[in-house]
Amino acid sequence: MGDRACYREFCPDCDVPVTIVDDECPECGRELSLV
């Protein structure tokens, strides 16, 4: 199985690419619940 950090999502507020292990967007600070 692959590393979970390889799976990409996008912040719903600013469309910055984030990984599914990020708790918040590095660009706008929005709390992410992607899983």
Side-chain angles (χ1 to χ4, degrees):
M1 292 244 174
D3 184 1
R4 285 175 34 130
C6 292
Y7 300 119
R8 305 296 286 188
E9 293 286 345
F10 291 90
C11 175
D13 283 355
C14 63
D15 282 337
V16 168
V18 295
T19 66
I20 63 169
V21 297
D22 289 329
D23 291 330
E24 70 178 34
C25 176
E27 186 70 26
C28 70
R30 176 187 167 122
E31 185 175 326
L32 303 173
S33 55
L34 300 173
V35 180

